[in-house]
Amino acid sequence: MSIYSELADIISSRIEKGYYSIGQRLPSLRLFSKENDVSLGTAQRAYTLLEEKGLIEPKSRSGYYVRKNTNISHCYKTVDFPQEPVEVPKWDDILDLTFPPPSSNLIQLGRGLPNIEVQTLKPLLTSLSRSWVKPDLSALYYDEIKGLYKLREQISRLLIDSETQVAPEEIIITPGCHAALSIAIRSICTTGDVVVTDSPCFHGILNSLQNIGAKVIEVSSSKNQGMSLEALELALEQWPVKAILVTPNCNNPLGYIMPEDKKKDLYLLARKFDVAIIEDDIYGDLAYKYPRPRTIKSYDIDGRVLLCSSFSKTLAPGLRVGWIVPGRYLEKASYNKYSSALFLSAAPQKAIVNFIEAGFYLTHVKRMRNLYARNLAVVKQWVELSFPEDVVISEPQGGYMLWIELPKKVSVTKLNEELINEGIQISTGRIFSVSDKYNNCIRINFGARLSPRIKNAIYRIGNSIKNQLL
Amino acid sequence: MSIYSELADIISSRIEKGYYSIGQRLPSLRLFSKENDVSLGTAQRAYTLLEEKGLIEPKSRSGYYVRKNTNISHCYKTVDFPQEPVEVPKWDDILDLTFPPPSSNLIQLGRGLPNIEVQTLKPLLTSLSRSWVKPDLSALYYDEIKGLYKLREQISRLLIDSETQVAPEEIIITPGCHAALSIAIRSICTTGDVVVTDSPCFHGILNSLQNIGAKVIEVSSSKNQGMSLEALELALEQWPVKAILVTPNCNNPLGYIMPEDKKKDLYLLARKFDVAIIEDDIYGDLAYKYPRPRTIKSYDIDGRVLLCSSFSKTLAPGLRVGWIVPGRYLEKASYNKYSSALFLSAAPQKAIVNFIEAGFYLTHVKRMRNLYARNLAVVKQWVELSFPEDVVISEPQGGYMLWIELPKKVSVTKLNEELINEGIQISTGRIFSVSDKYNNCIRINFGARLSPRIKNAIYRIGNSIKNQLL
Ligand SMILES: Cc1ncc(COP(=O)(O)O)c(C=O)c1O
Ligand SMILES: Cc1ncc(COP(=O)(O)O)c(C=O)c1O
């Protein structure tokens, strides 16, 4: 391999690992040639090669920059490994951010709310109403500890779609996916234990880790491929990691689906270092492409994967019905469900059983998949038209979240305050990390039925950002 | 004071503290006179005085015994103070005991199930069905973090009955009382912290303490008056206690209501030693006498009492709606609710609001109060007629639990196995303690509509016990 192509490789891997982030200026040719002890000509050749590969671009008179739409996977921010495990800070404002005071006027682009106003959900409402009708009043009693057996049977059937084969006996029903994650975490970790999370990471996971006093190593995810396995391996080599927390399918907030070979490799890494994997599949059924992607659990042959999910995103969060497939931690998980008081009512479980048995679930999910894919196209266009040019927009492959990286100059805190006053709720990037990595990012939700009101809100967000850049 | 009455006082205080338990033989007159260096005549006079006070009784040719129905409060078993704080063991069988596999034939005398087949509950079922009807689909969304405001308003109103004055803003809705307790514990304690519980104690509390790794000092309760404050004070003097967990009203399992002056004194002790009180009032509205007793919270002037309760016993456990009034720990409690994923659906909350607003709640609770008081009289008679004579039966002042202390010879484990085979579920005493204090006790529930089948079951329990004593 020639020297210049070796140098090009180094840079491209640095871009991939996030040492050089999107839009960042590369070292000048002069500095680069000096640092690497090569001629200016060789340096130039390396940069030209990278330009040809579409990774960097020259800007007149100011040098080379990392391109926005590189087709290699790209980490969002420089990660310095070895990173120290850190305690999860207690956000002061997370509760306000995630649970704003109820107001009918608020345009909720912040929380992960699905569209519940579609026809295909109607039979569920009927079922829900009927679950309180005599003579079967069992819904008024305490539920079984592992949840309604019939529901576990149906979930076992649905899981086959993701090539995950588990018996109803291996499934525990939980009051939502957050509860499932909390049970999983408690089944593996205790105060002071080190865990790896993908980054950015759903804030509920970070909170549950904070609650038990676990320490976190964040491993950056690329926008198309998910967690960097190189960085993960480094972390596993250096720290006594107990569990890896990942959301590989239709990730919240990035929207990627981890390629299947990467999922397999992740599982093999976990085996090699003998750590557990806590997998969040809550958006998995909402992948735009059918058949839906596999779970990491589907590669699991020794029970180290704890699969967590719920009907909150596919049906409705108000049902509070989710599940965990805890693998070899089955007994611990049911004990933790009990001692954390994570019980649920039998009524919504019964209604969901009826809904699935009658074939309504698959119809509904198909409907939602298509609807969200269409919404994505529209909302993305609105953002592209109204936001400054140099924002980086995620490329979701499922679900209904858009992650937008704003120019560093923008204060998202100020933006958020302005928007709240205008009755627009977004999610700020900072709640997706225990460090200050995503302070210039926002997440917006395109689950709801699109309307001029939402279009207007997105344009107002774009304007606020542009105003800050004036 | 004369010597013999001094001696009598010492013995009576020992009986009260549980050094001498019910039915236990006192030292012989000869031994007693020798130990205390008094004449046989003085010893005899002390015993005669205790006999006149109704505390002990002579049995021909075998000496004096502690009487069953002494009217002083009586602890169930010898407590050796200073007791070391102990870790809560993980019961292997608790999940089987508390959550038996569902079977329609099982006679459930074990779990704390209320009667849900009464007419006065019907409007609630209607409301529940209606909560899923358009156009208001808010029940399908995520709930507010502190729960439905309207429900908090209604609970605030209901609490006035127990002279507890708190604003809706001070109340957080939880998915049941166990969840409220779990939030309370997490808001005060962390791994290794020492807490005091009443003893016997609801096993859910012990499990939640186990879950966070707290250490427990059990303070024995008398069957009529609750936790011994002398023993409590000793414990507070000797250990760095963080919280006192008590169920002062219609205690589970003993059924007592702590006298009001004792509640006040308990609160003052907590202030003196600056510890928090976690008060479980789940059965408080089911006190047989009206108006219902006060909460300890009602004496709280500095926010150190965390009041926990739910509608599980007054309405139905399947609703999964409870609350916590966390006093000065309000922020911590709402944070812990979130990070423990203890969310709930809005639907049952709305239904309960309608039920209370329409005045149905008070009617229903009145009905249940009277029903359970009547059930108690009947079931107690069945037990007295079918059990061996020397069992000690609790004297509940509310709720629907009967606690029965069996002769030491009886193996409750064996009894339980036999009963399970016969399709009868009871609660064994051992799950109400972290030590082996109540291995000869059982708890049976008289919440359900009484029937020949239940009568028959109680007689079968009595027979099994008698057979073991043959
Ligand atoms: C990735 C992810 N996991 C879990 C949850 C929590 O789901 P649930 O509402 O079922 O508890 C969410 C919801 O926001 C989520 O986005
Ligand atoms: C004293 C006591 N507290 C709390 C609970 C739990 O109540 P919930 O079902 O509302 O969680 C029970 C139920 O058995 C109980 O007896």
Side-chain angles (χ1 to χ4, degrees), chain B residues 108-212:
Chain B
Q108 290 220 10
L109 304 176
R111 292 196 75 183
L113 299 176
N115 186 333
I116 53 164
E117 286 168 343
V118 290
Q119 287 295 324
T120 48
L121 207 56
K122 272 200 169 166
L124 182 65
L125 294 171
T126 312
S127 256
L128 283 164
S129 299
R130 292 224 181 104
S131 47
W132 300 106
V133 171
K134 285 197 175 191
D136 177 14
L137 288 181
S138 60
L140 286 177
Y141 278 133
Y142 284 105
D143 185 30
E144 299 159 47
I145 180 70
K146 288 187 182 167
L148 203 65
Y149 189 78
K150 279 194 166 180
L151 179 58
R152 291 149 70 201
E153 278 180 329
Q154 291 305 322
I155 291 171
S156 160
R157 277 197 332 111
L158 292 179
L159 278 171
I160 294 171
D161 244 11
S162 59
E163 299 191 32
T164 317
Q165 305 218 358
V166 292
E169 286 73 17
E170 298 173 71
I171 301 172
I172 299 174
I173 307 298
T174 63
C177 181
H178 194 163
L181 291 163
S182 165
I183 290 170
I185 290 168
R186 283 179 206 287
S187 300
I188 310 258
C189 316
T190 180
T191 313
D193 280 351
V194 178
V195 302
V196 164
T197 66
D198 47 15
S199 177
C201 175
F202 165 55
H203 46 83
I205 291 180
L206 296 175
N207 263 285
S208 292
L209 291 170
Q210 198 280 332
N211 195 263
I212 64 152

Side-chain angles (χ1 to χ4, degrees), chain A residues 142, chain B residues 176-179 181 202 247 252 280 282-283 310 312-313 320:
Chain A
Y142 283 104
Chain B
C177 181
H178 194 163
L181 291 163
F202 165 55
T247 307
N252 172 11
D280 184 345
I282 192 169
Y283 293 96
S310 81
S312 297
K313 309 302 178 181
R320 298 282 84 218

Side-chain angles (χ1 to χ4, degrees), chain A residues 90 99 111 128-129 139-142 179 186 203 207-208 210-211 313 317-318 320 335-336 338-339 342 345, chain B residues 90 99 111 129 132 139-142 186 203 207-208 210-211 313 317-318 320 335-336 338-339 342 345:
Chain A
K90 203 149 165 175
F99 302 88
R111 293 196 74 182
L128 283 165
S129 299
L140 286 177
Y141 278 133
Y142 283 104
R186 283 180 206 287
H203 46 82
N207 264 285
S208 293
Q210 197 280 331
N211 194 263
K313 309 303 178 183
R320 299 282 84 219
Y335 183 81
N336 277 310
Y338 174 67
S339 62
L342 289 164
S345 172
Chain B
K90 204 150 162 175
F99 301 89
R111 292 196 75 183
S129 299
W132 300 106
L140 286 177
Y141 278 133
Y142 284 105
R186 283 179 206 287
H203 46 83
N207 263 285
S208 292
Q210 198 280 332
N211 195 263
K313 309 302 178 181
R320 298 282 84 218
Y335 184 80
N336 276 309
Y338 173 67
S339 63
L342 289 165
S345 172

Side-chain angles (χ1 to χ4, degrees), chain A residues 207-218:
Chain A
N207 264 285
S208 293
L209 291 170
Q210 197 280 331
N211 194 263
I212 64 152
K215 287 186 174 172
V216 170
I217 299 178
E218 299 186 315

Side-chain angles (χ1 to χ4, degrees), chain A residues 238-276:
Chain A
Q238 300 191 12
W239 304 101
V241 171
K242 282 284 178 69
I244 304 163
L245 284 119
V246 275
T247 307
N249 292 322
C250 318
N251 177 270
N252 172 13
L254 292 180
Y256 60 77
I257 293 174
M258 205 179 215
E260 293 305 322
D261 55 347
K262 261 194 99 173
K263 284 180 193 161
K264 228 184 294 178
D265 287 347
L266 176 61
Y267 171 68
L268 291 175
L269 263 181
R271 278 193 77 173
K272 183 173 159 198
F273 289 91
D274 195 20
V275 300

Side-chain angles (χ1 to χ4, degrees), chain A residues 108-114 400-402 443-448 454:
Chain A
Q108 290 221 8
L109 303 176
R111 293 196 74 182
L113 298 177
Y400 42 74
M401 304 293 193
L402 210 57
R443 191 194 70 181
I444 61 180
N445 166 3
F446 53 87
I454 292 181

